[in-house]
Structure formats: C-alpha cells, structure tokens
Amino acid sequence: MITGTKVELRPVSLEDFRRTYEWRNDEETAKLEAGTSLFRFSHVPFEQIESSYEKEIISLDKREEGKFSIYTRGEHSKHIGLIVYRELNIISRRCTLGIGIGDKEYWNNGYGSDALKALIHYLFETMNLNRVQLDTWSGNVRAIRSYEKCGFVVEGRLRNDAYIDGKYYDTVIMGLLKEDFKMREKRI
C-alpha cells in the first residue's frame, strides 16, 4: 500500500472497479476526467465495466502500468477515486500519470494532490524514475492547480486540441523531474 497524508493507494478490487460505474456515468465527473474522450469513457453499461476488470486490472503488466484505488485514511476509509501510471519507459525512466477523484464530496479538499504526491514519491524513490508527466484540457482548471501544487510545470500546449461542449480547448502538457520534486520535499 502506498500512503499519503490523507489517502492510501490500494490495489483495485472488483468492488472498487464496479464503483466507477457511477463516476463514469456522471456527466460532470466524466467530462473533467476524460475531456475529448468523453464519448468513449462515459455512458458505459455496468456489464461492460464488470467484464473489463479482468483485462484492465487482473492482467495488467506492472512493468508498463499500475492502477490504484484512492481511499481516504482513517477508521472509516472510503474509496474516492483512481490513480494510474502508464507508458512506463525504463530506458528514459519516465511515465505518464492519470488521476480521477470520482466522489464529488472529496473535490477541492486536497485528496487528489495528496494521492499524486504519494504516487510520485513511490515512482521516484521505489521505482527510481526520473520524470513523470501528464496532460489535461485547459478547461480543467482545478486539475491544473492541483498538478502545480505538486510541482508540475507547464511544458507545452497543443492549441485547440480538445473539443468539449462545442468549444475548442488546448491540451496542457505538464512535467515533473525527480530533482525538482526532491527540492520541494526538502522545503516543506
């Protein structure tokens, strides 16, 4: 288990995976998480979620990607989201991250930032990666603020790359290096 201050990152159980049905079919939650891919990500039947557990979780090659459930810490812990690393490149020692807090009750309270910091610490210290990156659409302001809080910097923009609700948005590409993360940890 990977532990942060507010959260624990646990292996994804079938029950956790089933819970994503609600989040993926909530338009606001799905739009923030999937952006342009909303049409593929949302409006998913429960049976499809359940049947994809084997492929997406059980047969996962941990040398290339990892998926974790985000749980609150404490006596009454609660599953509130998912976090992943993917596109792991062991030669350049980097990967791409993705996160979604599905339970709206836990938005804007630092749970996503804490989960990111916990996973980043694991990736840099345990897996000895040198770089992590992620991207989101420019309209997802809350996510961008959370990423910046964790030390990510904007490294580029793909102009008018995302089309959401009849409007074009940029894709914002952000990165974080191990040395920068360590410097931030020392200051805190």
Side-chain angles (χ1 to χ4, degrees):
M1 189 171 351
I2 300 169
T3 306
T5 306
K6 296 177 146 199
V7 301
E8 296 173 341
L9 308 183
R10 302 179 184 175
V12 181
S13 70
L14 178 56
E15 196 55 43
D16 294 343
F17 208 64
R18 286 177 178 149
R19 199 168 292 107
T20 66
Y21 171 77
E22 294 172 34
W23 303 338
R24 289 180 66 168
N25 286 292
D26 176 271
E27 190 173 345
E28 181 182 21
T29 303
K31 187 185 307 175
L32 289 170
E33 189 169 335
T36 300
S37 298
L38 178 66
F39 70 98
R40 281 187 295 223
F41 183 80
S42 66
H43 310 296
V44 180
F46 184 76
E47 296 76 23
Q48 182 181 343
I49 298 253
E50 206 167 55
S51 68
S52 64
Y53 178 74
E54 174 74 31
K55 180 180 153 224
E56 291 188 38
I57 303 298
I58 300 297
S59 358
L60 200 66
D61 184 346
K62 299 222 175 20
R63 294 170 297 179
E64 294 182 16
E65 64 182 302
K67 293 185 180 187
F68 304 92
S69 290
I70 302 169
Y71 273 81
T72 59
R73 288 187 68 183
E75 189 178 332
H76 302 290
S77 64
K78 183 176 181 184
H79 177 222
I80 62 169
L82 295 172
I83 189 167
V84 303
Y85 67 85
R86 62 185 184 276
E87 301 162 8
L88 180 64
N89 183 313
I90 59 169
I91 304 300
S92 59
R93 296 179 24 232
R94 66 151 173 82
C95 70
T96 301
L97 304 181
I99 182 170
I101 301 296
D103 189 326
K104 292 179 183 181
E105 183 181 328
Y106 292 87
W107 286 6
N108 299 317
N109 290 300
Y111 288 93
S113 298
D114 189 53
L116 266 175
K117 288 176 187 172
L119 182 59
I120 292 165
H121 186 270
Y122 172 80
L123 293 169
F124 286 156
E125 298 304 322
T126 303
M127 293 180 63
N128 195 30
L129 297 187
N130 183 56
R131 170 188 170 76
V132 293
Q133 62 193 44
L134 48 75
D135 64 73
T136 189
W137 55 288
S138 57
N140 195 351
V141 177
R142 185 172 55 244
I144 293 169
R145 269 198 315 264
S146 175
Y147 303 152
E148 289 173 337
K149 199 163 109 177
C150 293
F152 283 87
V153 295
V154 175
E155 296 181 334
R157 296 176 91 80
L158 303 176
R159 296 177 305 146
N160 287 344
D161 186 56
Y163 186 75
I164 299 152
D165 286 342
K167 183 178 175 188
Y168 283 99
Y169 292 87
D170 294 349
T171 293
V172 180
I173 301 163
M174 304 179 80
L176 176 62
L177 301 177
K178 182 177 188 174
E179 62 192 62
D180 296 336
F181 186 72
K182 285 186 159 203
M183 290 296 288
R184 284 181 69 86
E185 281 190 321
K186 284 181 184 176
R187 287 186 295 211
I188 294 174

